[in-house]
Amino acid sequence: MSDEFFPQIPKIQYEGPGSKNPLSFKHYNADEMVGGKAMKDHFRFACAYWHTMRNGLADPFGGPTAQRPWDDGSNSVENAQRRVWAMFEFMQKCGIGYYCFHDRDVAPECGDLEKSNAALDAVADELEKAQNETGIKLLWGTACLFAHERYNQGAATSPYADVFAYAGAQVKKAIDVTHRLGGQGYTFWGGREGYATLLNTDLGRELNHLARFLHMAVDYKQKIGFEGQFYIEPKPREPSTHQYDSDAAACLNFLREHGLKEHLKLNLETNHATLAGHSMWHEMEVAAAADALGSVDANTGDELIGWDTDQFPTDIYLTTQMMLVLLRTGGFTTGGLNFDAKVRRESFEPVDLFHAHIGGMDAFARGLKIANAILEDGRWETFRKQRYASYDSGIGAQIESGEVGFEDLEAYTLQNGEPTTVSGRQEMLENLINEFI
Ligand code: XUL
Ligand code: CO
């Protein structure tokens, strides 16, 4: 294993809850079996290239602070290629098996598309070598359709057809590179696919353009035989005032309306759920109910700050809730837990990247163990099942199977009289969950 970029830092080991070593896992133990599956296979942890390698930690009030000694700050292909090895050394030392990238995180944008594509190919050569040497895999790739000034009014929803065309060409290349690197998925996050004001916006036309774009992507994927899963990532606002993929329900509606449902699953991000006024638990249940829970961008927001702070997840209630959904739905197939998260601007040293990822992985390990214990205990699941038991037989079963209509319900109720209900027992259930935390 290379020791060039983080020479002071050893490979992070599991030392158990009693360890006082901050550079160790207290709960995440990759090969430990929980509920019949190794921890690492439950989570499929991934590292986000854009935050870990490319985020200088600027905020709206001040410039970058991050110390990244391997990065000479230039836009050269050589610098981009060196970064690949820093990223892979970091992931190896953390024991993270997957990564995710945007085309423009890994390679520079070089003036024209041909040159940018050549730079991307040159960095992809290096990524391929690093993948082969380390066994680390690509969870998903994506294209940055929001940073360059051409995308100032969107990409697929830009009012300018030439911008749409440029975005299509860029995504074609990003899918090619993802395919070449054996990517298990490809994510569409509509960075500026929305509007700043309705005064200048033809909303219906923009939505149709977005659907055309995704259909083109599906056609291309099928043409080249890329078998990775496509994801769409909801987010309600920021940078736009309103983004069309505003939450899980809006995405599902859009996909169904445009005949795309079978081709895309959802990549849900915790901080985006918060911005949409939902809990992550809610978003995951919505996706799971539609059989569209694909992958997760694991982070958290600061509820006292109104923007996407992309912090590392450390809240055990959050990770427990997320793992309850994942365990109940059978877990990830193509997806995983991608730490779409950045260290604070104050945490500018390279070692902080380790503390952050260790904390996130340990928080999920605890969430997994707690969620598994809750499910094995069975009282919670039994309560929820029991609450709906009136639909298991009699009139309830007839309602679910579609055998009865309003006239039957009228006849039934005239005979049955006033229904009885029992308490929802919220407080009892809150106490039950706390037994395991
Ligand atoms: C932005 C965000 C993106 C996507 C990938 O808020 O989450 O990084 O995950 O484009
Ligand atoms: Co994200």
Side-chain angles (χ1 to χ4, degrees):
M1 182 168 64
S2 137
D3 209 18
E4 193 183 337
F5 300 97
F6 302 92
Q8 317 302 337
I9 297 166
K11 180 160 171 44
I12 309 302
Q13 308 286 352
Y14 171 71
E15 293 183 7
S19 170
K20 298 283 180 269
N21 174 11
L23 291 175
S24 73
F25 294 117
K26 314 295 186 299
H27 302 278
Y28 177 65
N29 188 10
D31 294 313
E32 187 181 321
M33 302 295 282
V34 178
K37 197 153 121 183
M39 279 198 192
K40 63 172 189 295
D41 300 324
H42 278 288
F43 300 127
R44 296 163 55 89
F45 285 128
C47 190
Y49 211 101
W50 52 101
H51 284 310
T52 306
M53 283 295 125
R54 303 310 309 279
N55 201 318
L57 310 180
D59 72 12
F61 300 94
T65 58
Q67 296 171 354
R68 303 291 181 251
W70 56 85
D71 195 316
D72 66 16
S74 76
N75 234 358
S76 71
V77 170
E78 295 69 44
N79 193 31
Q81 288 177 321
R82 190 168 48 248
R83 246 188 240 122
V84 168
W85 296 99
M87 176 74 172
F88 277 71
E89 183 181 316
F90 174 76
M91 290 190 288
Q92 267 201 309
K93 286 187 166 174
C94 282
I96 292 180
Y98 297 88
Y99 71 109
C100 302
F101 68 76
H102 301 82
D103 49 0
R104 303 305 182 232
D105 313 325
V106 292
E109 173 130 20
C110 305
D112 69 61
L113 187 64
E114 207 176 326
K115 287 196 189 120
S116 299
N117 285 351
L120 186 51
D121 284 332
V123 179
D125 291 342
E126 225 55 23
L127 289 167
E128 193 168 18
K129 267 188 242 160
Q131 286 186 193
N132 290 339
E133 273 186 30
T134 61
I136 290 169
K137 298 189 183 105
L138 177 59
L139 191 69
W140 49 259
T142 187
C144 176
L145 302 181
F146 43 89
H148 192 278
E149 53 266 34
R150 83 176 68 86
Y151 298 125
N152 66 71
Q153 290 162 67
T157 64
S158 169
Y160 304 104
D162 286 352
V163 176
F164 183 109
Y166 204 111
Q170 193 180 325
V171 168
K172 173 187 175 291
K173 181 68 182 176
I175 294 174
D176 285 337
V177 171
T178 300
H179 183 36
R180 168 186 168 190
L181 293 173
Q184 305 196 0
Y186 184 93
T187 290
F188 293 86
W189 172 59
R192 295 182 191 275
E193 310 296 27
Y195 58 79
T197 172
L198 287 170
L199 287 172
N200 61 14
T201 302
D202 186 335
L203 183 145
R205 209 164 173 183
E206 291 198 1
L207 282 165
N208 287 336
H209 293 168
L210 184 56
R212 276 307 321 140
F213 194 85
L214 292 173
H215 273 293
M216 288 184 200
V218 169
D219 290 346
Y220 185 65
K221 167 192 193 208
Q222 287 167 347
K223 180 164 183 214
I224 65 170
F226 173 54
E227 288 182 353
Q229 174 66 49
F230 273 179
Y231 307 110
I232 190 161
E233 182 176 327
K235 183 173 181 179
R237 66 183 73 85
E238 197 188 270
S240 312
T241 303
H242 174 80
Q243 299 193 183
Y244 297 130
D245 313 326
S246 54
D247 65 3
C251 284
L252 287 167
N253 180 56
F254 171 81
L255 294 175
R256 287 196 189 99
E257 181 178 347
H258 294 279
L260 287 158
K261 170 78 173 44
E262 66 182 291
H263 301 295
L264 287 101
K265 292 195 168 185
L266 303 185
N267 178 40
L268 296 172
E269 177 167 326
T270 318
N271 206 160
H272 298 177
T274 317
L275 290 174
H278 302 308
S279 66
M280 184 59 164
W281 193 0
H282 168 89
E283 288 293 83
M284 289 179 74
E285 293 284 1
V286 169
D291 192 25
L293 178 52
S295 200
V296 164
D297 272 5
N299 65 12
T300 193
D302 184 328
E303 291 183 6
L304 302 178
I305 300 180
W307 73 76
D308 194 7
T309 56
D310 279 344
Q311 290 171 232
F312 278 82
T314 54
D315 181 334
I316 310 298
Y317 280 94
L318 169 70
T319 57
T320 299
Q321 293 164 353
M322 292 171 69
M323 293 318 297
L324 278 174
V325 182
L326 281 168
L327 287 176
R328 279 192 3 251
T329 55
F332 292 121
T333 50
T334 55
L337 285 173
N338 170 45
F339 287 114
D340 190 354
K342 63 186 178 197
V343 290
R344 300 302 81 200
R345 187 167 184 269
E346 299 86 338
S347 309
F348 49 80
E349 296 176 32
V351 69
D352 292 307
L353 294 171
F354 285 89
H355 294 308
H357 285 82
I358 289 169
M361 292 161 83
D362 265 348
F364 272 101
R366 288 186 72 185
L368 169 65
K369 287 187 230 173
I370 294 165
N372 187 59
I374 292 169
L375 295 177
E376 279 183 352
D377 170 81
R379 280 175 288 160
W380 180 61
E381 285 279 78
T382 304
F383 179 89
R384 285 180 355 126
K385 256 206 173 130
Q386 193 53 38
R387 192 158 179 250
Y388 296 89
S390 62
Y391 285 91
D392 293 339
S393 59
I395 190 72
Q398 289 173 319
I399 291 170
E400 283 197 349
S401 66
E403 282 166 55
V404 289
F406 274 177
E407 286 154 321
D408 305 298
L409 298 186
E410 182 185 49
Y412 175 83
T413 300
L414 284 171
Q415 194 222 330
N416 190 52
E418 193 57 29
T420 53
T421 64
V422 292
S423 162
R425 302 252 189 274
Q426 178 170 337
E427 296 78 5
M428 183 195 82
L429 293 169
E430 287 165 347
N431 298 348
L432 174 64
I433 298 299
N434 272 356
E435 264 185 50
F436 294 88
I437 298 265

